[in-house]
Amino acid sequence: MSERRFRFGYVLAPKKLSSFIQDSLVNHAQQQGIDLIPIDLNKSLIEQGPFDCIFHKLYGPEWRKQLEEFSVQNPTTIIIDPIDAIEKLHNRISMLEVVNELKITQENETIGVPLQIFIQENSDSLLDHITRQGLDFPVIAKPLIANGTADSHQMYLVLKPAGLEELKPPIVLQEFVNHGGVIFKVYVAGEHVKCVKRRSLPDISEEKLGTLENLIAFSQISNLTAQDQNDDSFAELIENAEMPPLGFVTEVANQLRDALKLHLFNFDMIRDTRAGNRYLVIDINYFPGYAKMPSYETILTAFFLDIARQKQSNESG
């Protein structure tokens, strides 16, 4: 890389700004020749350039218009990421469709998604929908729209048919799969991939199913069963959980990146306890909380350097 400095402009919501743009990241990037420049939404974007790259997590019509006008005048500036590509992740049905099209070459591991159905309106009973599609209890009920708002995070674990009566369509119903109480969060920043283990919903046995309520909000899941309350046992559970093979995780991440046409995202993956080599993607998020990832400054700066090289290559080409 030459001694030239690169200007990376960014626009993020206030909450994302404080968690992502930390001094440690700004300084680390600066040492590598990348200057992170805040973009002022009260001024014209065109007047604030030049930028080698703009990364953002905004979707409004005004921002879209500014970005399009800027791109026309600055065709070599790399935009991370295109708004149309990001918006595909705002729909919980379309976000996972791409997973079933992946062509994973690993011999032992397979990837898929849980069975899920979208219910548009109360034209039929929800139970009829579930029965027709072959879904079994428990199921997870999620809003169709996944755009980071409080409403989009209102999720429920539906344990019995009576719990369906409290749900209002439009809604996505997703099969609940026992997965050992551990979820794998895979962070992707371009070609850089990091997988971490996190606590998830506990497994639900047939016996336990009969003793639980009809419907539990995700915010109250920690009350699911008394025996699952012990923090030490959870820590041990996560500690002992076997990580998915790195080659498999990287291949899934790379294929998702190409299919989604996105650079910055993460996906949540579980291991189906019924078949230990079968993994299921249950959620994909754009521009997640990277600061929760160990050494996030190093990984993000390495990604920024890749983009700077791409920008140089575009200019010389």
Side-chain angles (χ1 to χ4, degrees):
M1 185 72 76
S2 69
E3 303 224 349
R4 169 188 162 183
R5 301 199 67 78
F6 291 84
R7 288 170 52 89
F8 279 39
Y10 62 85
V11 181
L12 301 168
K15 188 178 172 188
K16 177 68 67 179
L17 200 60
S18 59
S19 68
F20 184 76
I21 303 291
Q22 297 183 20
D23 289 346
S24 55
L25 175 66
V26 173
N27 295 337
H28 203 83
Q30 224 162 32
Q31 288 162 14
Q32 301 292 326
I34 310 278
D35 296 321
L36 300 181
I37 318 282
I39 290 169
D40 186 344
L41 286 173
N42 295 316
K43 296 178 184 171
S44 161
L45 180 57
I46 289 172
E47 291 169 14
Q48 295 178 69
F51 295 112
D52 296 292
C53 169
I54 292 174
F55 62 92
H56 68 103
K57 194 178 183 181
L58 280 188
Y59 321 108
E62 179 55 37
W63 171 242
R64 181 192 282 266
K65 184 165 174 280
Q66 286 226 44
L67 210 48
E68 286 170 355
E69 289 172 354
F70 182 89
S71 295
V72 168
Q73 292 197 24
N74 301 271
T76 63
T77 299
I78 295 172
I79 308 295
I80 295 176
D81 276 304
I83 291 178
D84 287 343
I86 296 170
E87 286 184 337
K88 284 186 182 164
L89 295 188
H90 289 173
N91 177 304
R92 284 201 166 90
I93 294 294
S94 67
M95 80 159 62
L96 295 182
E97 282 174 347
V98 68
V99 177
N100 288 324
E101 295 165 18
L102 303 184
K103 301 283 188 280
I104 302 302
T105 61
Q106 307 293 316
E107 285 184 16
N108 297 319
E109 289 74 34
T110 63
I111 194 78
V113 297
L115 180 60
Q116 62 177 22
I117 57 172
F118 170 54
I119 296 170
Q120 177 74 43
E121 53 191 26
N122 274 326
S123 57
D124 222 336
S125 87
L126 296 189
L127 186 56
D128 287 345
H129 277 290
I130 284 184
T131 310
R132 269 203 307 274
Q133 299 294 331
L135 265 178
D136 232 333
F137 289 95
V139 296
I140 296 170
K142 304 178 176 185
L144 175 68
I145 303 305
N147 59 1
T149 60
D151 284 349
S152 72
H153 290 296
Q154 284 284 341
M155 301 189 207
Y156 297 90
L157 185 61
V158 188
L159 297 132
K160 297 168 190 171
L164 296 171
E165 294 165 16
E166 299 178 50
L167 301 175
K168 290 186 175 64
I171 203 160
V172 175
L173 296 177
Q174 187 181 76
E175 167 192 24
F176 175 81
V177 176
N178 282 333
H179 52 280
V182 176
I183 194 166
F184 302 103
K185 288 191 163 289
V186 182
Y187 293 90
V188 182
E191 294 180 5
H192 305 271
V193 178
K194 178 84 174 175
C195 180
V196 298
K197 298 182 279 189
R198 293 280 185 267
R199 172 177 170 174
S200 182
L201 302 183
D203 287 353
I204 300 172
S205 64
E206 287 287 337
E207 297 76 32
K208 199 188 287 183
L209 193 56
T211 66
L212 297 169
E213 302 164 48
N214 297 329
L215 182 80
I216 306 176
F218 267 37
S219 56
Q220 296 160 338
I221 287 291
S222 55
N223 308 326
L224 199 51
T225 58
Q227 73 223 48
D228 292 323
Q229 290 291 312
N230 188 321
D231 282 340
D232 288 342
S233 66
F234 264 123
E236 190 179 335
L237 179 79
I238 293 169
E239 179 71 30
N240 293 336
E242 184 185 346
M243 291 287 272
L246 182 59
F248 168 69
V249 171
T250 304
E251 187 175 8
V252 172
N254 288 341
Q255 289 198 25
L256 276 178
R257 185 190 65 237
D258 293 344
L260 294 168
K261 297 181 172 52
L262 294 172
H263 293 80
L264 296 172
F265 63 96
N266 80 342
F267 58 97
D268 293 342
M269 190 169 72
I270 58 174
R271 182 191 287 120
D272 187 344
T273 54
R274 295 168 300 188
N277 61 349
R278 176 163 173 72
Y279 292 86
L280 302 168
V281 175
I282 57 172
D283 207 4
I284 307 176
N285 305 288
Y286 186 68
F287 210 132
Y290 284 105
K292 298 173 188 168
M293 178 175 68
S295 308
Y296 97 103
E297 306 90 342
T298 311
I299 292 169
L300 267 297
T301 299
F303 165 65
F304 292 153
L305 285 169
D306 291 344
I307 297 299
R309 289 189 192 96
Q310 185 184 332
K311 176 64 162 52
Q312 273 191 318
S313 171
N314 291 353
E315 289 171 342
S316 61

